[in-house]
Amino acid sequence: MTTPVRTDRPSSKQSWLARAAFAALVLAVVVLLIFAGLKTLTMLILGIGGVVVCVVAVYWFLTTRGFLRWISLAVAVLTPIVVLAFLIRERLLWVVLLSIGLFVIAGICARAALEGEEKELPVVERPAPPPAKPFFVMNPNSGGGKVEKFDLKRKAEERGATVVLLEGPEKIDVTALARQAVADGADLLGVAGGDGTQALVAAVAAEHDLPFLVVSAGTRNHFAADLGLDLDDPSRCLDALVDGVEVTVDLGNVGGRTFVNNASFGAYAEVVQSPEYRDAKTSTFLQKLPDLLAGRAGAVLTARSPSVSAVGPQAVLVSNGPYEMNDLAGLGHRPRLDRGTLGIVAISVGSARQAVGLLHRAHQRGLAQGTGFEVIIDADTDEIPVGVDGEALVMPTPVRCTVSPQALRVRVPRDRPGVRRPRHAWDLVRLRELAKFTKSGA
């Protein structure tokens, strides 16, 4: 696990960026007061009210059926149009856009100033000689046919790999395939496919202490993205076979099943279990969600960990490493995969008021998040559906989730795009100190 290193004495660049942030904030307020005048308060009320109305309307759209559902959808669509029409009529649209632009500039400057405050120690990379007998499992249907589009099979074989394609009407036991490859002398296991397939092969690689290679040929490529691999050209991942380095990452375990990204419980896991989901995802989701959110269907969950305790949440996500969660939109990115801990997010939204509360982190009573080495998910049923890296499974309760720190050796190209840095949260106190060139304690 790494430790953030803080620099107490700000650089001249940090100080000027902090000053620029405050200047942009002041200008944004001045623009509103000068050009909107007494209408500033009306604009703020209208803007905040519009957001609240939209959130409530979306919540009702997801939790109701029939006439009320479509009325809610109409309100959600019409509300921003009404706000926009008011601004245009009062000739204030340019004022709002200019103020928003200044707020954006302030945010960019503030984050740039604060990013110099803490720097994590880099991920340790070890030299890795080319494998003598690499083995790959490739799914030609994954990611819309990326295996064929990027000619991955041929390119891997040119680098000395044995490749097995997951094709044909019969279901192939990927775990058995990987274990047989190990028995035949494979010294590296790789996957070009979805995260679910990657997790199965990664478990075998970890079991035999073999390096594992990821090719970003899936649809969403969450694991590949958090490894800093090239998502636009999956064939570049194969460079690790000839010019690679090795990093070590954690693995999650849920009910005896390995996962590289996350295990989900609750509403989403219930919906994906439906036979209709594969052919009609959106309509199945909208049809089943009202009963799941209202507690009329599905199991009643309980989530327990050292940092989170939730009774009756509609959804629980346990991740292999905590996700970046400065806001809900941040879900889906992990800046590190070697922290040696699970991430836990439990959402309990039983009313429109709680849905509105999710807009502001300080009042997120319906959102519990934390970290831990173990998470226990229990329910009022003997078994519950679980989504494991996108795969729909059913497991007996209680379900135990754990983490295996630094369990997997991953081979990555020496030359790769790298992991996106996490966004810094605003710290106005520290930002003010930077702007004044003052010193602060550690």
Side-chain angles (χ1 to χ4, degrees), residues 151-208:
D151 201 11
L152 298 179
K153 183 175 185 294
R154 180 185 64 82
K155 291 177 179 178
E157 289 175 338
E158 285 180 348
R159 291 167 169 82
T162 299
V163 179
V164 174
L165 296 179
L166 301 179
E167 55 185 356
E170 68 281 356
K171 186 175 181 179
I172 299 176
D173 188 334
V174 174
T175 299
L177 201 63
R179 284 183 173 152
Q180 184 59 52
V182 174
D184 292 339
D187 59 353
L188 177 144
L189 299 179
V191 175
D195 291 329
T197 305
Q198 291 173 17
L200 293 174
V201 179
V204 178
E207 177 185 343
H208 295 276

Side-chain angles (χ1 to χ4, degrees), residues 205-237:
E207 177 185 343
H208 295 276
D209 193 29
L210 291 178
F212 178 67
L213 196 154
V214 177
V215 180
S216 55
T219 302
R220 295 181 179 86
N221 293 307
H222 288 308
F223 191 46
D226 293 336
L227 288 170
L229 301 179
D230 193 320
L231 305 185
D232 297 321
D233 184 1
S235 65
R236 286 191 60 192
C237 300

Side-chain angles (χ1 to χ4, degrees), residues 109-182:
C109 291
R111 292 190 187 281
L114 292 171
E115 279 177 358
E117 288 291 277
E118 291 183 356
K119 295 181 179 179
E120 285 191 329
L121 298 176
V123 175
V124 177
E125 295 181 356
R126 292 177 295 276
K133 195 173 181 181
F135 174 84
F136 277 84
V137 172
M138 295 189 178
N139 185 350
N141 298 317
S142 184
K146 290 181 181 178
V147 169
E148 181 178 354
K149 178 181 178 181
F150 291 93
D151 201 11
L152 298 179
K153 183 175 185 294
R154 180 185 64 82
K155 291 177 179 178
E157 289 175 338
E158 285 180 348
R159 291 167 169 82
T162 299
V163 179
V164 174
L165 296 179
L166 301 179
E167 55 185 356
E170 68 281 356
K171 186 175 181 179
I172 299 176
D173 188 334
V174 174
T175 299
L177 201 63
R179 284 183 173 152
Q180 184 59 52
V182 174

Side-chain angles (χ1 to χ4, degrees), residues 82-380:
V82 170
V83 173
L84 183 62
F86 169 81
L87 295 174
I88 293 175
R89 189 190 69 180
E90 299 296 326
R91 298 180 181 179
L92 294 173
L93 181 60
W94 73 272
V95 177
V96 174
L97 293 178
L98 179 57
S99 295
I100 290 175
L102 289 168
F103 279 120
V104 170
I105 292 173
I108 293 173
C109 291
R111 292 190 187 281
L114 292 171
E115 279 177 358
E117 288 291 277
E118 291 183 356
K119 295 181 179 179
E120 285 191 329
L121 298 176
V123 175
V124 177
E125 295 181 356
R126 292 177 295 276
K133 195 173 181 181
F135 174 84
F136 277 84
V137 172
M138 295 189 178
N139 185 350
N141 298 317
S142 184
K146 290 181 181 178
V147 169
E148 181 178 354
K149 178 181 178 181
F150 291 93
D151 201 11
L152 298 179
K153 183 175 185 294
R154 180 185 64 82
K155 291 177 179 178
E157 289 175 338
E158 285 180 348
R159 291 167 169 82
T162 299
V163 179
V164 174
L165 296 179
L166 301 179
E167 55 185 356
E170 68 281 356
K171 186 175 181 179
I172 299 176
D173 188 334
V174 174
T175 299
L177 201 63
R179 284 183 173 152
Q180 184 59 52
V182 174
D184 292 339
D187 59 353
L188 177 144
L189 299 179
V191 175
D195 291 329
T197 305
Q198 291 173 17
L200 293 174
V201 179
V204 178
E207 177 185 343
H208 295 276
D209 193 29
L210 291 178
F212 178 67
L213 196 154
V214 177
V215 180
S216 55
T219 302
R220 295 181 179 86
N221 293 307
H222 288 308
F223 191 46
D226 293 336
L227 288 170
L229 301 179
D230 193 320
L231 305 185
D232 297 321
D233 184 1
S235 65
R236 286 191 60 192
C237 300
L238 295 172
D239 293 344
L241 293 174
V242 292
D243 184 24
V245 293
E246 192 170 287
V247 299
T248 305
V249 303
D250 306 332
L251 285 177
N253 185 283
V254 53
R257 171 77 175 249
T258 296
F259 63 91
V260 294
N261 290 325
N262 56 64
S264 60
F265 307 82
Y268 175 74
E270 294 273 0
V271 171
V272 297
Q273 292 287 333
S274 305
E276 306 90 359
Y277 179 75
R278 296 302 175 188
D279 297 325
K281 291 181 172 62
T282 302
S283 60
T284 304
F285 188 79
L286 292 177
Q287 178 62 29
K288 293 185 173 294
L289 198 58
D291 289 338
L292 291 170
L293 293 180
R296 295 188 297 268
V300 178
L301 302 179
T302 301
R304 301 190 308 276
S305 78
S307 61
V308 172
S309 180
V311 178
Q314 280 91 354
V316 178
L317 188 79
V318 180
S319 57
N320 176 29
Y323 282 109
E324 181 183 343
M325 286 293 292
N326 288 332
D327 52 55
L328 288 178
L331 188 61
H333 175 72
R334 294 161 294 175
R336 299 289 296 237
L337 292 171
D338 59 353
R339 297 189 184 278
T341 184
L342 298 171
I344 309 104
V345 179
I347 300 177
S348 304
V349 183
S351 66
R353 180 180 179 182
Q354 287 183 333
V356 172
L358 291 176
L359 290 172
H360 197 290
R361 186 178 177 86
H363 301 288
Q364 287 180 349
R365 296 180 180 178
L367 177 65
Q369 58 190 88
T371 60
F373 300 105
E374 181 182 67
V375 182
I376 304 297
I377 309 295
D378 210 343
D380 60 349

Side-chain angles (χ1 to χ4, degrees), residues 52 55 60 118 177 190 194 207 225 365 389-390 396 399 429:
V52 171
V55 171
W60 283 344
E118 291 183 356
L177 201 63
E207 177 185 343
R365 296 180 180 178
D389 284 336
V399 181
V429 174

